[in-house]
Amino acid sequence: MSIDINVLPAVKTPFYWYDMQLLENTLDVVKRESDRYGFNVHYAVKANANIDILKKIHSYGFGADCVSGNEVARSVEAGFASDKIVYAGVGKSDDEITNALRNDIFCFNVESIPELEVINELAQKEGKIANVALRINPNVDASTHKYITTGLAENKFGINMWDMENVLEALAKLDFVKLIGLHFHIGSQITDLKSFKGLCVRVNELQQWFYARQIIVDHINVGGGLGIDYTNPDKEPMPNFAEYFKLFAEMLELRPKQSLHFELGRSIVGQCGSLITKVLYVKNGKNTDFAIVDAGMTELIRPALYQAQHKIENISSELPVKKYDVVGPICESSDCFGKAIQLPETKRGDLIAIRSAGAYGEVMVSEYNLRSRVKAYYSK
Ligand SMILES: *Cc1c(COP(=O)(O)O)cnc(C)c1O
């Protein structure tokens, strides 16, 4: 099974193609498996912020997890209930905070003392009390690429435990913020569930620390990060959500009435998107030939940015297989989707599908080289 060339629209390449049926199947499973335990899922908007995709996700009753003011605005536009919107980020601007306050969002995930103070001041101005969760850096290794790990002491994210007494002291003086939760997010594309086990153990320890100081928050938010299978997108079209949620149900010790929240991005939308591109030229190379395609790092930057490997398929050709370096037109040597990739013999005009591009694909598009913005099309 791969992308069926006959279902694709006859439009100018490159373009993003979203399989809405797969998205629905994935959402069905996330809903079923999280409802089993009464867990709350907030979709991480930064993975894919297309309004059609947001509307579909919202229709399942999930909340939204935002990392910018514009993401908060887009989520509201897509219909997400304000009281299911969480907002994280190390550098929230005054305007972004004020707009989030005006939207009465569920919770700010706060990453530092100065940020707490600014939220307090702006909430006072708006005549509101801001709900906050402390984003704690749990110092748990997510065993993922160094650019997408976020939960180590050396990362810029979250509050370190050695600073926590100071945070509580600061909080005690702030009348316009209310502590309602603890927030964690250890990284992205985590495929070994052991990392999440490590997170649970750590959260249990930290809950004890707060409990010893008479603090019991209403909710725990364990972030996102569940990975997908980039090698075999058709064999594993969705991650094992049942195992994932079960692990938290079994390992995380919630206090009575405490709710558990998740912020899933990639695992929800990653597999439903493909970047469809056309072969412009096939050119002789020293080791392997180059298949030069009309999409580049401006349309999908993950290979260049994180050394990510997406499955690449020639969906036009059924000729015997040869090896190609599949590269884009951008004037950068890192503009390469894959080296020595086995493809059926490839010719000018063939369509290439770059799979598993639904997350952190279209949202990272740039206009470098004055490229035109790539369009998106959706299956029924
Ligand atoms: C990026 C991010 C997520 C989503 O991560 P995925 O790996 O896409 O699930 C969740 N929470 C926060 C705070 C994030 O920054």
Side-chain angles (χ1 to χ4, degrees), residues 82-259:
S82 305
D83 63 0
K84 286 189 179 177
I85 295 179
V86 295
Y87 178 18
V90 288
K92 304 177 186 80
S93 74
D94 294 21
D95 283 350
E96 290 178 310
I97 292 169
T98 299
N99 285 328
L101 286 166
R102 288 180 185 164
N103 276 304
D104 294 310
I105 63 163
F106 169 57
C107 192
F108 290 86
N109 293 331
V110 172
E111 314 223 6
S112 67
I113 296 177
E115 184 193 333
L116 265 181
E117 291 168 346
V118 170
I119 293 176
N120 185 70
E121 190 187 314
L122 296 172
Q124 180 171 20
K125 260 192 211 154
E126 294 296 314
K128 304 213 166 167
I129 307 278
N131 285 334
V132 299
L134 300 174
R135 176 168 181 176
I136 300 178
N137 187 337
N139 203 13
V140 170
D141 189 356
S143 305
T144 186
H145 192 275
K146 63 179 185 298
Y147 285 178
I148 50 177
T149 183
T150 55
L152 288 174
E154 70 218 47
N155 295 126
K156 71 175 175 180
F157 297 102
I159 298 165
N160 289 308
M161 278 312 286
W162 46 258
D163 208 16
M164 197 52 76
E165 295 280 9
N166 297 329
V167 173
L168 295 183
E169 249 172 59
L171 261 175
K173 294 187 203 125
L174 304 175
D175 293 331
F176 300 91
V177 293
K178 182 177 175 218
L179 177 63
I180 64 161
L182 301 179
H183 174 236
F184 306 86
H185 174 67
I186 57 174
S188 202
Q189 185 49 20
I190 299 166
T191 48
D192 185 351
L193 289 184
K194 276 203 212 87
S195 296
F196 294 114
K197 239 182 220 178
L199 173 63
C200 288
V201 170
R202 187 78 180 118
V203 173
N204 293 342
E205 280 170 22
L206 294 173
Q207 284 245 73
Q208 293 287 359
W209 188 96
F210 282 91
Y211 192 60
R213 287 156 184 80
Q214 280 91 47
I215 297 171
I216 303 181
V217 292
D218 300 340
H219 80 268
I220 301 291
N221 181 337
V222 289
L226 180 61
I228 60 170
D229 190 339
Y230 281 97
T231 317
N232 277 311
D234 294 313
K235 191 167 139 254
E236 300 287 352
M238 64 182 91
N240 195 335
F241 290 109
E243 282 291 313
Y244 173 73
F245 289 119
K246 181 159 165 265
L247 185 152
F248 284 93
E250 286 176 353
M251 297 283 301
L252 201 83
E253 293 160 7
L254 291 175
R255 306 280 168 184
K257 292 198 190 143
Q258 226 173 26
S259 59

Side-chain angles (χ1 to χ4, degrees), residues 44 46 65 67 88 135 183 185 188-189 224-225 263-266 360:
K46 77 172 189 284
D65 161 42
V67 292
R135 176 168 181 176
H183 174 236
H185 174 67
S188 202
Q189 185 49 20
E263 301 168 337
L264 297 174
R266 186 193 314 268
Y360 307 107

